Amino acid sequence: MLNLTTLKRVTIVAERVLESELIHLLRETGAKGYTLIDARGEGSRGVRASEWAGSNIKIEVVVSAEVADALLNSISERYFKHYAVIAYMTEVQVVRGHKYT
Amino acid sequence: MLNLTTLKRVTIVAERVLESELIHLLRETGAKGYTLIDARGEGSRGVRASEWAGSNIKIEVVVSAEVADALLNSISERYFKHYAVIAYMTEVQVVRGHKYT
Amino acid sequence: MLNLTTLKRVTIVAERVLESELIHLLRETGAKGYTLIDARGEGSRGVRASEWAGSNIKIEVVVSAEVADALLNSISERYFKHYAVIAYMTEVQVVRGHKYT
């Protein structure tokens, strides 16, 4: 029988320059793993990033609701003022949920 | 205190040839930004795209429910008949929701 | 008028070595298509994959709830013991849902 746990997936899209800082923040906040993908894009600041390939990164983590809140809070406070960062979360059903918390 | 807004994330997976047309459509419909990722894949038409790397693109936008509907509608009308395009949406909780609408 | 169907999107993140096996499993279980993206990352085993680019893959499929359950079940049984695989699902609203089932 399939045993599913409801958790949050947090998605962060940011400039590549923030990669190691963000990974550090993820660990610090309690994420047990992350997936990182190269991306292009354009944000509300009108800064076009698609001219140089792979200039953005998209990071996804699956975490508890508490860690998700803490993460969105930290990202908002530290980066939103000076960097082109977006962050959001959605609900996911996860197999073997204990691996994430 | 974390201030979250419920919005829609629309995901579009399409042949690379549609990239600039789709980005134009996103802007026209009211999306303030987008994330674009190179992808491979196979669709219900049985057209295998994995032989030539990066031949597909996956575009994600976070928008209001109204813009999401308009976007899915336009994509459906313009592309579904002649192109291997898929499009779907999911609910997301976003930090600083005003940036997206 | 936009006709939306509620389906499941299943996300699998795995070591690249599992690519063809996983695609075979997807077809066998009833998925009509998939999107595959190169990824980096780190999991709960502490195995850092970011040193060699593209060593992980992220596969996404949109399927019925039944196929989603079957897929998560198979992946859990076959791979979780010996491989660094994560799998989860989320609800999506899809245009032209009949293409997926």
Side-chain angles (χ1 to χ4, degrees), chain C residues 1 3 12 25 46 70-71 74 78 98:
Chain C
M1 194 45 224
N3 186 8
I12 306 156
L25 175 63
L71 208 45
S74 299
R78 292 192 200 182
H98 63 271

Side-chain angles (χ1 to χ4, degrees), chain A residues 26-27 30-34 61-63 67 98-101, chain C residues 42-46:
Chain A
L26 294 175
R27 286 203 193 100
K32 302 295 184 206
Y34 64 87
V61 288
V62 176
V63 291
V67 171
H98 63 271
K99 295 205 298 184
Y100 302 88
T101 55
Chain C
E42 187 173 342
S44 54
R45 294 179 168 200

Side-chain angles (χ1 to χ4, degrees), chain C residues 53-101:
Chain C
S55 53
N56 278 9
I57 50 170
K58 180 185 167 196
I59 301 176
E60 293 169 335
V61 289
V62 176
V63 292
S64 69
E66 292 70 32
V67 171
D69 277 359
L71 208 45
L72 291 177
N73 213 26
S74 299
I75 288 164
S76 168
E77 283 179 1
R78 292 192 200 182
Y79 298 113
F80 275 21
K81 200 164 173 186
H82 300 295
Y83 293 95
V85 173
I86 66 167
Y88 55 86
M89 66 176 171
T90 192
E91 206 170 88
V92 292
Q93 276 73 49
V94 172
V95 194
R96 306 222 178 157
H98 63 271
K99 296 205 297 183
Y100 302 87
T101 55

Side-chain angles (χ1 to χ4, degrees), chain B residues 4-49:
Chain B
L4 294 172
T5 311
T6 297
L7 293 169
K8 301 288 183 186
R9 187 178 79 168
V10 176
T11 302
I12 307 157
V13 181
E15 303 165 47
R16 174 179 295 279
V17 69
L18 295 178
E19 176 171 332
S20 44
E21 259 193 66
L22 284 170
I23 290 171
H24 184 76
L25 175 62
L26 293 175
R27 284 203 194 102
E28 205 181 63
T29 316
K32 302 296 183 204
Y34 64 87
T35 303
L36 193 152
I37 289 165
D38 294 320
R40 293 179 277 152
E42 187 172 340
S44 56
R45 295 180 168 199
V47 180
R48 178 132 206 196

Side-chain angles (χ1 to χ4, degrees), chain B residues 4 13 18 33 47 53 64 68 71-72 76 83:
Chain B
L4 294 172
V13 181
L18 295 178
V47 180
S64 68
L71 209 45
L72 291 177
S76 169
Y83 294 95

